[in-house]
């Protein structure tokens, strides 16, 4: 996805983000609420997440950073919808608070409006055994396995598509989500992939030729 976002760069390889999976608590017992985690900005679609919650009838918890440039959007589109039952809104969380919400959520809802290069919260959710529902946009198809670790819906029919997939979310095995992250998105794998990139660069540009350019 990064290659598509910046085609003018001298692309060598794609290295995916990794996390320390051991820090994320796994649970195959899920609660009865949807979860949105991310900056409260129009690009992340928290207002869409609220609409999905209302249409599905499943309560939602929203939490994340409130940036100054998005304060009006947050107050008008998010905070005004809070009722303490169907819609609960929180600010930034500690790691333990975030992990607890991720572990117990029925699903992570990620209705992004923009081409996000990665989306760390997706692998955080799956590490906790929580499936992800998101549109086929940007990096989503590279991170989520449709029908195995969550569901990917069309951008054109995002809201109704996500509502429909919520009805099927209990068919997703939480263990598959965890195993997917352990195999593909660990900090250890990220480091190894970066080392491969550095080795490739050194093969192309020998150390002495690099020093010659510097001096």
């Amino acid at each position: 996805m990064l290659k598509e976002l910046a085609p003018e760069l001298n692309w060598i390889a794609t290295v995916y983000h990794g996390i320390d999976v051991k820090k994320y608590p796994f649970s195959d017992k899920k609660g009865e609420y949807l979860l949105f985690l991310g900056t409260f900005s129009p690009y992340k679609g928290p207002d869409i997440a609220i609409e999905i919650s209302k249409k599905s009838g499943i309560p939602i918890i929203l939490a994340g950073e409130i940036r100054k440039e998005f304060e009006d959007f947050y107050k008008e589109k998010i905070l005004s919808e809070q009722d303490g039952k169907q819609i609960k809104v929180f600010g930034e969380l500690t790691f333990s608070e975030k992990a607890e919400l991720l572990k117990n959520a029925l699903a992570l809802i990620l209705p992004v409006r923009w081409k996000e290069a990665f989306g760390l919260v997706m692998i955080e959710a799956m590490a906790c055994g929580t499936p992800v529902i998101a549109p086929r946009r940007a990096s989503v198809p590279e991170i989520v396995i449709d029908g195995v670790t969550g569901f990917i819906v069309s951008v054109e029919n995002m809201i109704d598509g996500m509502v429909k997939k919520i009805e099927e979310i209990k068919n997703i095995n939480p263990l598959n989500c965890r195993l997917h992250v352990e195999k593909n998105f660990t900090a250890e794998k990220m480091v190894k992939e970066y080392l491969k990139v550095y080795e490739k660069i050194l093969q192309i540009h020998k150390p002495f030729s690099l020093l010659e350019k510097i001096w």
Side-chain angles (χ1 to χ4, degrees), residues 22-42:
K22 297 187 295 295
K23 290 184 177 180
Y24 290 82
F26 170 79
S27 176
D28 58 2
K29 303 291 191 298
K30 298 301 168 185
E32 295 297 328
Y33 65 89
L34 304 171
L35 180 64
F36 170 91
L37 281 181
T39 305
F40 285 112
S41 79

Side-chain angles (χ1 to χ4, degrees), residues 51-197:
E51 189 174 348
I52 290 167
S53 169
K54 289 179 177 179
K55 280 200 166 189
S56 68
I58 307 296
I60 190 168
I61 294 175
L62 303 97
E65 181 185 4
I66 307 163
R67 294 182 185 172
K68 190 172 183 179
E69 62 265 38
F70 300 126
E71 279 184 356
D72 289 343
F73 169 80
Y74 171 71
K75 291 175 183 176
E76 294 170 13
K77 300 292 186 178
I78 310 303
L79 199 58
S80 63
E81 296 286 346
Q82 179 171 228
D83 59 12
K85 295 180 180 179
Q86 181 76 23
I87 315 294
K88 295 181 181 180
V89 181
F90 299 93
E92 288 191 74
L93 305 172
T94 64
F95 179 83
S96 59
E97 289 170 338
K98 178 176 71 172
E100 191 68 16
L101 284 178
L102 284 169
K103 180 183 74 171
N104 295 311
L106 181 64
L108 177 77
I109 300 296
L110 196 75
V112 289
R113 286 188 171 100
W114 71 308
K115 292 182 178 180
E116 189 167 16
F118 189 79
L120 192 65
V121 70
M122 287 188 279
I123 62 173
E124 291 183 310
M126 291 187 293
C128 295
T130 299
V132 177
I133 305 178
R136 188 175 295 279
R137 175 174 275 153
S139 61
V140 171
E142 298 177 48
I143 300 170
V144 178
I145 304 176
D146 189 31
V148 178
T149 67
F151 292 109
I152 302 174
V153 305
S154 70
V155 173
E156 297 76 18
N157 191 37
M158 179 164 58
I159 293 175
D160 289 340
M162 294 178 88
V163 169
K164 183 178 179 181
K165 290 304 179 183
I166 289 169
E167 298 172 4
E168 303 174 31
I169 204 67
K170 291 186 178 179
N171 294 330
I172 299 294
N173 185 341
L175 184 58
N176 287 338
C177 299
R178 177 75 172 204
L179 293 176
H180 178 51
V181 176
E182 288 179 349
K183 180 180 179 182
N184 298 288
F185 302 108
T186 64
E188 292 82 4
K189 180 165 185 177
M190 179 178 66
V191 170
K192 288 178 182 177
E193 293 300 316
Y194 271 120
L195 288 174
K196 288 179 183 177
V197 172

